[in-house]
Amino acid sequence: MKPIRQLSVVPTLPENLEPLRELALNLWWTWDNEALSLFRHLDSELWEETYHNPVAMLGKISQEQLQAAAKNEVFLAHLDVIHKKFKSYLSAPSWFETHSNNEALSDIKIAYFSMEFGLTECMPLYSGGLGVLAGDHLKSTSYLGLPFVGVGLLYQHGYFRQTLTSDGWQMADYPENDFYNMPIQPEQTPDGDQLLVEVDYPEGKAFAKVWLAQVGRIPLYLLDTNIPENENAELRDITDYLYGGDERMRIKQEILLGIGGYRALAALGIHPTVCHMNEGHAAFLALERIRQLIADNGIGFDEASEATTAGNIFTTHTPVPAGIDWFPPELVRHYFRNYFGSLGISEEKFLGLGRKNPSDHNSEFSPALVALRFSTMSNGVSQLHGHVSRNMWKGLWHNLPVHEVPIKAITNGIHTRSWVSEDMQNLFNRYLGPKWIVDLTNQDVWTQISQIPDTELWRTHERRRERLIAFARQRQSQKRRKRFNQTLTAQNTNQEHEAAAKTLNSAALTIGFARRFATYKRATLLFNDLDRLEKILNDPERPVQLIFAGKAHPHDHEGKVLIQKINKIAGESRFQHKILFIQNYDICVGRYLVEGVDVWLNTPLPPNEASGTSGMKAAQAE
Ligand SMILES: *Cc1c(COP(=O)(O)O)cnc(C)c1O
C-alpha cells in the first residue's frame, strides 16, 4: 500500500517574500514569462532539480538563501512588479464581463470534466493531446474570464515516465506524485474541515478528497482517493494511475470522475448550468445530473433527462473505434446495480443507454454513447473529424441522413502564450504592439508582421533552434551519465563535453516529430528509403537532422517496436549525430521542440488523426 503523506512543507517565508507563495500556488506562472524568470532567478539549479515546480522549490530552498533574497533589492523589485501584474490580471475586467451584458448569460456556469489535464511539466496528470487541450482550455478560459470550473482526478502516479534500454526498448516507471509539494491545495468546507465526497462502489463506500489547482481565474478540482478514510486498498487505489489497470479500474475511475466529480461541485455549492464531457470518460456525470434532479424534485427519468440534456455538451476525440471504451454488460451491471434504481428505470433500460441498439441485450456498453444521447450538442475536433464522427455514430439517428447527424466540429486550439517562445513573443511585442496576444485572429495585426526585418526574424528563430540543440545535448549527457552510472571526474567531464558537442548541429535544418507513438501516426514513414535519407541528412551544403520524441502506451507493443526501430536507425554510423530520440516526451520537451525546429513532421494515416494540436503549436511558435 502506498504511503500517505500529511506534511505541509513550504517553510515560513520572510514576510516580504510572502507573495512568492501566492504566486507559486496559482498556475498563472506557467504562461507568464516574467513570473517564470522570477522563480528561475531565485535558484536556477533548484528550479531544474524540482522540474520547474515553485512549490517544491520553496520547500527545499535553504533559509540562508531566503534571507539573502529578502534583502536583495533587485529581486524584491522584480517580485513586486510580478505580484502587481498578477493581481491586476485577476482583477481586470475580463472579456466575458464586457461581452455578457446579455441576460441569458448572467446565470451561466460551465463545468468541464476531463480524465486528464496537461498544465505544466511538474504536474504529470496527462498522457497526450486530450489532456494538453484540456489544460490549454483552462488557461484560455481564464483569460476570457468565463464562469468556468474544471473537474478531474489527482493521480498518485500519473502517467509513466519513459526511459529506453540500451537496445531502444521503452521502459515505464511511475514516480510518485507528492501532492503537498505540487502547486495544489486541499479544498475545505466552509467550516474549515477537509472536503470529502462519497461514492458507492460494490467494494464499499469510497471517499474522495477534493484538491484545488488554481489556473489564473479558473479553479480546477481534482479528486483523490488515496486517503486514510478509505480502508479498502481497492478503493484507495482508484486514483493510482492514469490509464492504468484493466476495464474494472477504468469504470471505477469514470464513476469517480463523473459521479464523484459532480458531487464535489454540489458540495462546493457550484451548480453548473452547462456540463462539458471531454471524451466519453466523463459521461457518467450526465446520469448523476439526472439522479440529483429526480431526488430534488421528485420528477420522472424522462423529464429529468430532458431537462439536464439541454445543459450537457460532449466532445469526442477519436475516430478510431478501438479508442473508445466498450464495457461488457456484466461489468456495468456489477458497478451500477445499486445506482440504476435511483434513476427510476430498469436495469435493461439502464444498459440500453450505452448500447448502439438499446434492445440488443448482449451488446456492450459505451460511455461515449451515454454522452451522445445526453448532450444537446456534440462535436468532433476538426471539420474532417466531425465528418468521420457523423459516419461513425449515424446508427444512433437511423432516421436522419448522415449530414444531419447532430455532431458538429469545433477545431481544437492551443493556448498561444504557453507555446510561443519568450524570444518570439518579445519580437512580436516590439513590432506588432503588445496587443497581438489578445487579438490573435485579427488579420490587421498579422499584416504588420512584414515590418519585422527578415534578418531579425531569422536570428530569433535561430536562437530558438540553438536552445533546442543545447537542451537535446544536455538530455543526452544526462542519459549517458545515468547509463554508465558515472560520477563526474575532470576527465569524463571533458569527454562528456566532447561527446555532447557532436550530437546534432545547431545550424542544420531541423525536422521535429513528437507525438504519442500510436501506430497510425506513422513515426517511421521517413525511413522507407534509408539510402535516400542518408544522402539528404549528410548533404555537405545543406545538412538536415531529425529529432524524435514520444511515448507508446505501455500496452502498445507495436508502438514500442516503432520507438526501437527509430533508435536502431539512429545508432547506425551513417546517421550518427543526425537522428536523435529525446526520452520522456512531455510538455517541457514539446515546448523546446515546437519552438526550435524548422519543420514539424506530421504524417498520420488519414482519417485517424482527429485534430493534431502539436502542428498548431509549431505553426504559432516558429
Ligand atoms: C501537444 C502535445 C500533444 C498532442 O500533440 P498531437 O499533435 O495532437 O499528437 C501530446 N503530448 C504533449 C506533451 C503535447 O505537448
Side-chain angles (χ1 to χ4, degrees), residues 518-537:
T519 43
Y520 74 81
K521 299 201 187 230
R522 297 195 293 189
T524 55
L525 204 60
L526 268 188
F527 299 137
N528 278 354
D529 183 345
L530 288 178
D531 295 335
R532 180 145 177 244
L533 185 68
E534 179 187 350
K535 276 194 214 124
I536 294 172
L537 299 196

Side-chain angles (χ1 to χ4, degrees), residues 126 128-129 132 419 515 521 585-587 612-614 617:
Y126 62 95
V132 174
W419 297 104
R515 337 286 307 269
K521 299 201 187 230
Y585 179 41
D586 69 355
I587 286 179
T613 47
S614 61
K617 297 172 193 165

Side-chain angles (χ1 to χ4, degrees), residues 202 209 378:
K209 175 169 172 166
S378 299

Side-chain angles (χ1 to χ4, degrees), residues 261-299:
Y262 196 76
R263 288 181 187 169
L265 294 182
L268 288 158
I270 298 170
H271 303 285
T273 53
V274 179
C275 287
H276 190 134
M277 302 171 239
N278 193 36
E279 197 46 280
H281 312 137
F284 297 141
L285 79 84
L287 304 176
E288 179 62 11
R289 270 193 108 170
I290 295 172
R291 190 197 65 79
Q292 288 194 15
L293 199 65
I294 292 174
D296 292 347
N297 298 294
I299 54 177

